[in-house]
Amino acid sequence: MTSSPNAPDAPGTVPLGTVQLGTVRLGTSALTPEQVVSVARDGAPVELSNEALAAIEESRAVIEALVDDETPHYGVSTGFGALATKHIPVEMRSQLQRSLIRSHAASSGAEVDREVIRGLMLGRLATLAKGRTGVRTDVARAYADLLNAGITPVVGEYGSLGCSGDLAPLSHCALALMGEGEVRDHAGVRMPAEQALAEAGLKPIELKEKEGLALINGTDGMLGMLLLALHDLRRLLSTADLAAAMSVEGLLGTDSVFAADLHELRPHPGQIDAAANLRTLLAGSPLIAQHRAESSFTRVQDAYSLRCAPQVHGAARATVAHAESVAGYELASAIDNPVVTTDGRVKSNGNFHGAPIGYALDFLAIAVADLASMSERRTDRFLDKARNHGLNAFLADDPGVDSGHMIAQYTQAGIVSELKRLAVPASVDSIPSSAMQEDHVSMGWAAGLKLRRAIDGLARVLAVEILTAARAMDFRDGGLETAQTAAATTAVRAAVRAHVPGPGADRYLAPEIEAVLELVMSGALLDVAETALAEPLR
């Protein structure tokens, strides 16, 4: 199971390097999203290609040619930000880089998850490998060594405004290269960076002209969070389809509204995929067929939370597709300021502004909140005797004596309420900084952190819906031995029952929610459904 997106990585629980993964080779071309996740989350090793090393050397030669130039060059012979007008003599330039990193390593607050920092580090290394930043090959190699040793700088959640790069988080990483600050080693033990480097057989780096600036002037943190979020959302979108199918079945709904010809009338690709998943998951359901055939059936239309699931789930898929296109452009980017151009100039620019990523992160938070909101509404229908079509109130074994899933829905409601707050965009806010030199910022880092919390909430809401739907199914048909549900949903119910007992008197419910959450987050429920279907969901 991957860790919950907003839960701190427990020190020592999954030592980096214990998972045998293919080496990610960095060159001048873009990394894939899968490579970023494998390094950030699973600890895959990295290496710099000969192509990357040659490109790095070429851009470094450009910087070194400017060292004695009397013309000011930002980051080489000047101060930073609002202090860019200050000329720095040659003998003070190493101190300039050290001072930059020390002063900018100013984060505060709760420690950021290890996978986020590793994703940030990989993103910065990937930019160094493209040969547009002017660092020495020794610096790039040292950064790769830090990742491969599983040394992860300790970074607080506050400090990046998402413009001029994720300055504070990246500065903590550069500080570790210098042998300063605090880090966690490969086993998650917190210690001084100097000690961790020594134990890993690594030496601190002394930064030279422009190198400090090159290590901190990127949108790597927010991009890493976007890629991790997209990886999780692909799984959760299919899981949302699965949860909706179980609810349609458990609430004696109709699958006729998921017919392909109806969705071809509004041909959004995501909607078509979601409807196809629902048709596939419900195919051959005796429960739906039996209910449709009964003479007492009078409902022509189901409630929106059932009937309109493809439309909402499809819109979320479209949002993910847009965010994936943004991530693709960013992975192909080499972000620094100033940047060494392909024709050998050193030019200031604004490519470090995080607006494209910040917007995408905020857009995803809206979709996540709406997916969870619809899931909670389906769950609530199961618990209301006036709307659940013959089930016990709150799915209680003995209503009144037992409360069933009453408070599980409260948990969902509390999460959904928070997700609505988290859907308020961070990227519309801006606080000027650096004496008004940096007078408009993206807040993309904050957008990434809140999206991670939102995704964790969505997974929990879906887990409660699946747990509740499985219980309702058991009430409908008496349990797995006499199952009247579709093959895929029956297999998923069996997977849930392997960890959570069926209906009975009230039990301690929190561990049961956590057990299903683990099945959701690991993708185990999707694997079970797809095995039963003998085909992947869309």
Side-chain angles (χ1 to χ4, degrees):
M1 172 187 173
T2 57
S3 63
S4 298
N6 75 322
D9 296 299
T13 54
V14 187
L16 293 170
T18 60
V19 181
Q20 296 302 311
L21 297 163
T23 297
V24 172
R25 190 173 176 81
L26 290 94
T28 57
S29 58
L31 291 173
T32 67
E34 293 75 19
Q35 287 175 317
V36 174
V37 173
S38 71
V39 173
R41 183 167 284 172
D42 301 323
V46 301
E47 69 177 10
L48 293 161
S49 68
N50 290 333
E51 174 194 35
L53 292 170
I56 292 168
E57 288 179 348
E58 183 178 350
S59 69
R60 182 61 194 176
V62 173
I63 297 300
E64 291 185 348
L66 300 176
V67 169
D68 296 321
D69 191 347
E70 293 184 2
T71 302
H73 296 282
Y74 181 66
V76 177
S77 56
T78 72
F80 307 106
L83 301 176
T85 57
K86 173 73 173 180
H87 177 76
I88 310 298
V90 173
E91 64 273 14
M92 298 295 291
R93 290 178 188 171
S94 289
Q95 181 179 333
L96 171 71
Q97 302 302 317
R98 286 195 302 271
S99 295
L100 172 71
I101 299 305
R102 288 168 177 166
S103 66
H104 284 44
S107 72
S108 185
E111 185 177 343
V112 177
D113 296 349
R114 179 169 62 182
E115 68 178 27
V116 171
I117 303 307
R118 285 183 60 81
L120 173 148
M121 293 171 68
L122 178 64
R124 187 73 324 221
L125 181 59
T127 286
L128 300 183
K130 291 183 175 74
R132 305 268 65 86
T133 67
V135 302
R136 292 166 295 148
T137 55
D138 286 352
V139 172
R141 285 193 175 103
Y143 219 106
D145 289 343
L146 206 64
L147 273 168
N148 289 336
I151 296 173
T152 307
V154 173
V155 179
E157 63 181 332
Y158 302 113
S160 173
L161 301 183
C163 199
S164 291
D166 289 315
L167 290 176
L170 282 163
S171 293
H172 283 273
C173 298
L175 194 68
L177 281 183
M178 294 163 49
E180 300 180 23
E182 286 193 292
V183 301
R184 291 193 184 274
D185 69 5
H186 71 282
V189 178
R190 186 165 178 161
M191 63 180 64
E194 185 178 22
Q195 177 185 345
L197 292 178
E199 291 181 0
L202 305 176
K203 295 182 179 180
I205 286 287
E206 182 177 349
L207 301 177
K208 297 187 179 298
E209 291 88 357
K210 194 186 176 296
E211 290 180 333
L213 191 60
L215 290 175
I216 67 174
N217 223 329
T219 53
D220 309 290
M222 62 185 94
L223 175 59
M225 286 190 278
L226 176 60
L227 292 165
L228 289 165
L230 290 169
H231 177 82
D232 292 332
L233 279 172
R234 292 184 200 104
R235 178 181 62 248
L236 291 176
L237 280 166
S238 296
T239 305
D241 292 341
L242 171 60
M246 294 177 72
S247 291
V248 168
E249 206 167 14
L251 286 165
L252 302 181
T254 177
D255 60 351
S256 63
V257 294
F258 307 136
D261 61 339
L262 295 177
H263 294 277
E264 287 168 1
L265 296 174
R266 194 188 193 192
H268 290 281
Q271 177 180 325
I272 288 172
D273 286 347
N277 282 347
L278 286 160
R279 287 195 308 273
T280 301
L281 289 162
L282 293 170
S285 168
L287 196 61
I288 287 180
Q290 176 186 350
H291 184 61
R292 186 186 297 120
E294 290 175 354
S295 59
S296 61
F297 181 74
T298 58
R299 278 183 294 117
V300 178
Q301 296 186 143
D302 290 320
Y304 288 3
S305 59
L306 303 174
R307 193 189 343 156
C308 301
Q311 286 77 10
V312 173
H313 296 187
R317 280 178 165 81
T319 307
V320 166
H322 167 68
E324 286 174 337
S325 72
V326 172
Y329 291 127
E330 290 295 316
L331 285 169
S333 302
I335 294 174
D336 194 12
N337 180 49
V339 69
V340 180
T341 65
T342 54
D343 59 359
R345 293 170 295 133
V346 179
K347 299 295 292 183
S348 291
N349 64 91
N351 285 338
F352 49 73
H353 199 290
I357 308 173
Y359 293 172
L361 291 163
D362 281 334
F363 197 3
L364 288 172
I366 293 171
V368 165
D370 206 35
L371 281 170
S373 180
M374 183 172 252
S375 172
E376 181 274 330
R377 288 293 80 204
R378 292 190 294 260
T379 303
D380 184 65
R381 298 189 75 81
F382 276 120
L383 306 183
D384 184 355
K385 189 169 178 60
R387 294 180 293 147
N388 67 17
H389 309 296
L391 297 171
N392 288 0
F394 301 105
L395 300 185
D397 186 62
D398 184 0
V401 174
D402 296 315
S403 296
H405 279 206
M406 179 191 293
I407 307 304
Q409 184 268 332
Y410 284 33
T411 298
Q412 273 190 321
I415 294 170
V416 169
S417 182
E418 180 175 6
L419 295 188
K420 293 173 183 178
R421 295 190 293 272
L422 292 171
V424 175
S427 55
V428 299
D429 188 28
S430 178
I431 296 181
S433 56
S434 193
M436 292 297 287
Q437 174 72 3
E438 298 166 8
D439 58 355
H440 183 275
V441 296
S442 77
M443 295 297 179
W445 172 266
L449 290 177
K450 73 183 181 67
L451 177 60
R452 287 175 63 77
R453 184 166 180 82
I455 289 173
D456 177 71
L458 172 61
R460 294 174 188 278
V461 169
L462 292 174
V464 172
E465 182 183 2
I466 290 168
L467 181 65
T468 303
R471 185 177 178 91
M473 289 173 169
D474 285 346
F475 275 120
R476 293 285 186 206
D477 59 21
L480 292 168
E481 292 185 2
T482 52
Q484 294 294 305
T485 44
T489 56
T490 300
V492 169
R493 187 174 15 153
V496 171
R497 289 288 163 259
H499 296 82
V500 177
D506 282 354
R507 302 183 296 265
Y508 179 23
L509 196 53
E512 298 186 1
I513 295 172
E514 291 301 310
V516 180
L517 173 66
E518 183 168 348
L519 295 173
V520 167
M521 288 302 299
S522 67
L525 293 184
L526 288 180
D527 291 343
V528 166
E530 290 175 343
T531 299
L533 295 169
E535 63 176 295
L537 293 171
R538 299 189 186 188

